[in-house]
Amino acid sequence: IHTARSIQSGGEGSHLPRTVMRWQPTLAAKALAEEFRRMVHGDYAKRCQICSRTFKAKSGEQQVFIVHLVPPSKDPRTNHYGDLVSLCGWHYALVQHGQWAFIDPETDEPVTEWKRLQELLLNALPKTDNSGNQYIGIPVRFWNVYKDWRPEPVTIDEEIRYSLPHWQYLCALVRSGGGTE
């Protein structure tokens, strides 16, 4: 009965014209985006800064999402390389829509004070990965993640890996006070 009714009424009505407003970035914003795309390609090989995963899009190119950790709408100073990260689809969804925080490695607790986060970011020490590349790892924790078909949510501890040049941009942002809420 529902199928017949949906077929009958689904085509009824008329098309309504509508105006679509589209956000148009400034030339400076376009230049920033293009420069970061080049950095993502060179420093991260178009891979996630957390898990190093990627996938090929239908076009044949590797796909990553480039996002602001602190949206420029919350603080315009964060429209800066240091606030941008390259993420796979899974980590993009966790960062954009999930519960997460930077973790203090000394206390294993979420960082809640801006001063402490500044201290951790500015004093982070380089690590070396299995390929011999140096990076800065900033610990993060994700909550309420339903993983591997488990009926209960789990907490996942990972780290965002920054190349040394990218980390220098992050430090410049932190010193300027960007990212404060």
Side-chain angles (χ1 to χ4, degrees):
I1 187 165
H2 294 296
T3 302
R5 192 170 36 211
S6 68
I7 290 171
Q8 178 187 3
S9 60
E12 294 176 355
S14 61
H15 293 281
L16 298 174
R18 65 179 182 175
T19 304
V20 176
M21 295 189 53
R22 212 172 263 243
W23 177 74
Q24 193 71 344
T26 64
L27 290 176
K30 285 181 184 178
L32 174 71
E34 184 55 37
E35 186 65 30
F36 193 75
R37 275 189 207 95
R38 283 196 295 274
M39 180 186 285
V40 165
H41 184 72
D43 289 6
Y44 304 113
K46 288 191 175 180
R47 294 184 174 276
C48 179
Q49 284 179 238
I50 297 175
C51 68
S52 299
R53 291 188 182 115
T54 190
F55 66 93
K56 286 198 176 189
K58 289 180 182 178
S59 66
E61 290 192 35
Q62 289 178 301
Q63 178 69 47
V64 291
F65 296 89
I66 299 171
V67 299
H68 288 274
L69 291 178
V70 177
S73 60
K74 287 191 176 187
D75 188 332
R77 293 174 293 186
T78 63
N79 195 17
H80 185 282
Y81 294 128
D83 184 49
L84 293 168
V85 291
S86 168
L87 301 173
C88 66
W90 167 252
H91 284 107
Y92 167 80
L94 289 175
V95 166
Q96 291 296 102
H97 307 292
Q99 295 174 311
W100 71 277
F102 290 107
I103 299 299
D104 187 329
E106 292 175 13
T107 65
D108 198 39
E109 294 295 324
V111 179
T112 57
E113 297 176 9
W114 172 241
K115 207 69 165 148
R116 179 63 180 148
L117 182 58
Q118 281 180 311
E119 182 182 308
L120 289 173
L121 294 174
L122 295 173
N123 296 320
L125 297 174
K127 300 176 183 180
T128 304
D129 67 14
N130 294 338
S131 301
N133 301 311
Q134 285 196 317
Y135 70 94
I136 301 294
I138 307 298
V140 292
R141 180 170 293 152
F142 298 98
W143 288 272
N144 295 322
V145 178
Y146 290 84
K147 190 174 178 188
D148 301 326
W149 295 97
R150 292 183 185 157
E152 298 297 322
V154 296
T155 299
I156 301 172
D157 287 354
E158 297 181 295
E159 66 181 3
I160 299 176
R161 293 179 172 206
Y162 289 87
S163 66
L164 296 183
H166 189 187
W167 178 70
Q168 290 170 347
Y169 285 118
L170 176 62
C171 289
L173 176 63
V174 168
R175 285 187 193 102
S176 75
T180 59
E181 292 186 17

